[in-house]
Amino acid sequence: MKNSCLTIKNLFKEYDSGLLALKDIDIEVKQGDFFALLGPNGAGKSTILGIISSLVKKTSGNVTVFGMNIDKDFPVIKKNIGVVPQEFNFNQFEKVFDIISTQGGYFGIPRKLSEERAEKYLKLLGLWDKRDQTPRMLSGGMKRRLMIARALIHEPKLLILDEPTAGVDIELRRSMWKFLKEINEKGTTIILTTHYLEEAEYLCRNVAIIDRGQIIQNTSTSDLLRQLNAESFIFDAYENLSELPSIKGYKGRIINDNSFEVEVEKNKSLNTLFTKLTAQGIEISSMRNKTNRLEELFVSLVKPHEKKIEEDAE
Amino acid sequence: MSPREQWIAFFTIVVKEVKRFTRIWPQTLLPPAITIALYFIIFGTLIGTRIGSMSGFPYIEFVVPGLIMMSVITNSYGNVVSSFFGAKFQRSIEEVLVSPVPSHVLLFGYMIGGVIRGLAVGSIVTCMSLFFTDLHVHNVTVTIAIVFFTSVLFSLTGFINAMYANSFDDISIIPVFVLTPLTYLGGVFYSIEMLPKFWQGISMSNPILYMVNTFRYGFLGITDVNINWAFFMVISFCIILFFYSLYLLDHGKRLRT
């Protein structure tokens, strides 16, 4: 049984404006986990991360990190946490290398070691060539990587990332995923928020779905996906199709001359479907998932929750 | 953090601050040098020769300590207020807030950054004054001590201003509407002996008068105020403002939501 990295109990946050951003949040993240906080905009994801990183003050509740309470041991806790915020927060006039090495200084790392680590992480994240430039001269993706390098300078045991790949192109996103997987495999616990559900599905072992300040699902990614009752597939045929093939027992619709969509329920097999198609002489050239599976599930969980809140309000 | 780690963090902040104002020296070091040179030319050489002596000294000699102190005050204040508010505005202050740097180390770092800029500009102005007059130091200890504590005091004032500020307008209000009038009416250009009794009494409530006169005492040995009282007041203000700044930091005033 792994030790707890983060435990949140009965966490509430009410902003000065009166907005109740978090309502009785309970979360537990084990050491070594790769954990995702999913939710629509304004759900409270960044507020939770803000409280863990000390940028947001909680209203009530308990937060412990590596067994230490943030009310008593925040300085020690901070030494073990690296934070990658959602918005760029560099000094725009400082050089890339100085941003990283200075951050090391804030954690009490001697100058020489801090500079060695700055070189190491800038090279790992492909920013070494940009070390003498200012953040203003970097692309959005480079800025995101710079924030990751800055968060790693003190080699934290827990890395918190608030939408780390927002606005990053697909190729770069994949390389960042690979990098994050590698550091997680080396033992760093990672908590991230993301809008890209594919990201959570690919990276994370455990997921919490938050909506309007409440956790509506908190389980492993695989358990969550098991809750899907059906998946939609798109089939491309070699021949032109004038209408949807006869596939009794499956819901489907024609998309264009060569493609059709079929919803396959959990208790039905793809083999049977292929048998039916083969019997009609339809040869399939390719097939793919219609949408991200987690995305479907996310919508199916969040929508009823939002509806219930609206009904309660009325 | 261990004491050594705190020292590294403090040194990091100070180096960052010094790098900042030296990187933009045409905005930070050059303008005060030019402004003060103009003061020396106009008030010292052109008008000063017609004014004659002030408290027994040529006007240029009388005015130099006040002008040095004026540049120290405005630059100590200006450095901290612009740097800290800039960090708040760009949100780069979060780099420090998420780190384990204790509030007092953060405050000391910014304060010493302000003091170094104040003293750097004061030194430049002092060197420039040597082109216009000879400087004699009456009491080295008083001179150094008062300029240091004054610089500390205005660095802290700038820090508090930056903590409360929400916009760039908020950081220009105090220098324009409070600091400049108090400095100009603080005995930089005249002795309060020249004023009617009533205005002398009013002037005595201006804290900058005490700093300028104590500094002038260090150079010329003349003063309109009690030196011991001036030191007591300046050091007391430094302590009060330091703990108030610490209170604001610890409570995350306008830094944490």
Side-chain angles (χ1 to χ4, degrees):
Chain A
M1 187 79 178
K2 285 186 175 175
N3 290 330
S4 172
C5 168
L6 170 73
T7 309
I8 296 176
K9 278 191 179 147
N10 311 116
L11 183 65
F12 283 83
K13 171 63 187 175
E14 185 174 3
Y15 285 103
D16 292 342
S17 62
L19 173 73
L20 193 55
L22 300 178
K23 301 164 196 164
D24 204 10
I25 297 288
D26 289 336
I27 294 175
E28 174 141 35
V29 180
K30 297 283 181 197
Q31 285 185 28
D33 199 359
F34 206 134
F35 188 92
L37 264 176
L38 302 177
N41 283 330
K45 308 183 295 291
S46 299
T47 303
I48 294 175
L49 299 194
I51 289 170
I52 302 166
S53 59
S54 87
L55 294 174
V56 177
K57 291 187 274 188
K58 67 185 169 69
T59 304
S60 66
N62 273 306
V63 179
T64 57
V65 183
F66 298 111
M68 293 172 281
N69 195 306
I70 63 165
D71 295 329
K72 294 175 190 163
D73 304 309
F74 230 146
V76 188
I77 290 169
K78 284 176 175 180
K79 286 178 91 168
N80 295 301
I81 298 180
V83 182
V84 180
Q86 195 178 127
E87 289 175 35
F88 304 127
N89 62 349
F90 311 112
N91 181 332
Q92 296 294 324
F93 305 102
E94 228 176 335
K95 287 180 182 173
V96 163
F97 188 82
D98 290 343
I99 288 173
I100 308 295
S101 57
T102 299
Q103 188 70 14
Y106 295 150
F107 283 82
I109 300 168
R111 186 82 196 161
K112 193 168 173 287
L113 179 60
S114 189
E115 288 180 351
E116 283 169 11
R117 285 194 190 166
E119 183 178 341
K120 174 184 160 187
Y121 286 108
L122 286 175
K123 281 180 175 170
L124 272 174
L125 285 151
L127 289 169
W128 182 241
D129 292 347
K130 308 288 178 190
R131 63 189 178 279
D132 291 326
Q133 294 187 4
T134 58
R136 287 179 300 171
M137 299 159 87
L138 303 182
S139 68
M142 287 175 185
K143 286 178 187 172
R144 294 252 163 240
R145 282 181 282 155
L146 178 57
M147 291 206 290
I148 294 175
R150 186 182 60 184
L152 291 172
I153 189 72
H154 58 292
E155 303 192 331
K157 290 195 278 181
L158 169 62
L159 184 63
I160 295 172
L161 305 113
D162 198 355
E163 297 188 21
T165 55
V168 171
D169 67 50
I170 294 166
E171 193 184 348
L172 189 56
R173 194 184 303 162
R174 299 261 170 195
S175 74
M176 283 170 75
W177 287 358
K178 187 168 170 274
F179 179 78
L180 293 174
K181 270 207 156 185
E182 280 169 10
I183 58 170
N184 176 249
E185 279 160 12
K186 285 177 188 164
T188 307
T189 310
I190 299 180
I191 300 174
L192 62 78
T193 70
T194 181
H195 279 304
Y196 301 114
L197 300 166
E198 181 197 0
E199 186 165 89
E201 187 177 348
Y202 178 77
L203 291 173
C204 301
R205 282 186 283 280
N206 291 294
V207 177
I209 296 179
I210 179 169
D211 184 43
R212 301 191 186 199
Q214 288 175 306
I215 299 286
I216 55 173
Q217 192 71 239
N218 186 359
T219 183
S220 68
T221 312
S222 52
D223 277 350
L224 197 65
L225 289 170
R226 259 181 237 128
Q227 294 178 29
L228 272 172
N229 285 322
E231 272 188 77
S232 291
F233 295 93
I234 292 173
F235 295 85
D236 298 315
Y238 279 115
E239 302 86 12
N240 278 355
L241 302 165
S242 53
E243 57 182 13
L244 184 72
S246 171
I247 42 172
K248 204 175 170 191
Y250 295 87
K251 283 184 207 163
R253 69 180 183 93
I254 192 97
I255 297 173
N256 57 40
D257 289 347
N258 291 88
S259 306
F260 58 96
E261 178 188 328
V262 181
E263 191 181 291
V264 181
E265 286 173 18
K266 214 173 176 181
N267 56 355
K268 290 183 179 165
S269 89
L270 275 169
N271 296 44
T272 316
L273 180 63
F274 273 108
T275 309
K276 286 180 188 241
L277 291 171
T278 310
Q280 293 170 66
I282 297 169
E283 278 193 67
I284 300 299
S285 60
S286 65
M287 67 172 276
R288 61 190 179 276
N289 275 90
K290 185 191 172 192
T291 53
N292 180 280
R293 295 177 299 155
L294 199 55
E295 199 164 298
E296 285 175 17
L297 185 62
F298 177 77
V299 172
S300 73
L301 287 167
V302 170
K303 283 283 175 200
H305 183 248
E306 285 182 348
K307 199 175 167 193
K308 184 177 177 297
I309 288 177
E310 278 161 16
E311 281 169 2
D312 289 348
E314 283 166 14
Chain B
M1 289 182 104
S2 67
R4 182 163 182 268
E5 287 171 331
Q6 289 191 26
W7 168 253
I8 291 170
F10 165 76
F11 193 68
T12 301
I13 296 169
V14 172
V15 168
K16 188 178 177 223
E17 283 302 286
V18 173
K19 271 188 180 174
R20 190 193 74 87
F21 76 73
T22 49
R23 184 177 60 229
I24 50 169
W25 63 270
Q27 294 171 45
T28 53
L29 301 178
L30 192 59
I34 292 172
T35 308
I36 296 296
L38 291 170
Y39 275 120
F40 286 146
I41 292 167
I42 295 165
F43 290 104
T45 310
L46 300 178
I47 299 174
T49 49
R50 298 185 180 208
I51 293 171
S53 67
M54 182 81 67
S55 301
F57 287 90
Y59 189 64
I60 180 88
E61 277 190 48
F62 178 86
V63 88
V64 162
L67 290 174
I68 295 170
M69 192 54 116
M70 189 166 84
S71 59
V72 170
I73 288 171
T74 51
N75 281 280
S76 300
Y77 186 93
N79 192 71
V80 182
V81 78
S82 60
S83 176
F84 196 75
F85 180 73
K88 259 176 70 175
F89 185 78
Q90 295 185 77
R91 299 182 62 180
S92 60
I93 194 64
E94 290 176 3
E95 293 177 338
V96 193
L97 296 179
V98 300
S99 76
V101 175
S103 300
H104 66 272
V105 173
L106 171 65
L107 181 57
F108 264 123
Y110 273 93
M111 187 188 86
I112 295 300
V115 169
I116 292 173
R117 165 143 163 221
L119 297 184
V121 172
S123 303
I124 291 169
V125 171
T126 306
C127 292
M128 289 192 66
S129 71
L130 296 172
F131 290 103
F132 298 89
T133 183
D134 292 330
L135 280 181
H136 306 284
V137 181
H138 172 75
N139 188 321
V140 179
T141 313
V142 168
T143 308
I144 293 173
I146 195 66
V147 78
F148 174 77
F149 284 116
T150 302
S151 188
V152 167
L153 196 155
F154 283 96
S155 294
L156 291 168
T157 317
F159 187 87
I160 293 166
N161 188 175
M163 285 289 281
Y164 278 101
N166 282 323
S167 68
F168 282 99
D169 287 342
D170 294 341
I171 64 168
S172 62
I173 287 172
I174 302 287
V176 171
F177 295 103
V178 180
L179 269 189
T180 306
L182 286 180
T183 310
Y184 277 63
L185 298 171
V188 171
F189 298 102
Y190 56 87
S191 165
I192 60 164
E193 282 176 4
M194 295 168 63
L195 303 174
K197 280 279 174 211
F198 173 77
W199 290 109
Q200 279 187 30
I202 296 287
S203 294
M204 294 301 274
S205 62
N206 177 359
I208 293 179
L209 179 85
Y210 294 84
M211 300 164 204
V212 168
N213 269 277
T214 307
F215 193 57
R216 184 174 286 132
Y217 173 82
F219 276 101
L220 306 176
I222 55 164
T223 176
D224 292 333
V225 300
N226 182 304
I227 301 299
N228 293 331
W229 171 244
F231 269 110
F232 172 76
M233 195 186 65
V234 172
I235 293 170
S236 300
F237 270 124
C238 285
I239 293 168
I240 292 166
L241 293 182
F242 182 84
F243 283 104
Y244 186 61
S245 302
L246 211 53
Y247 167 82
L248 293 176
L249 268 178
D250 283 339
H251 289 78
K253 181 81 180 169
R254 311 217 174 164
L255 291 176
R256 296 183 166 96
T257 48

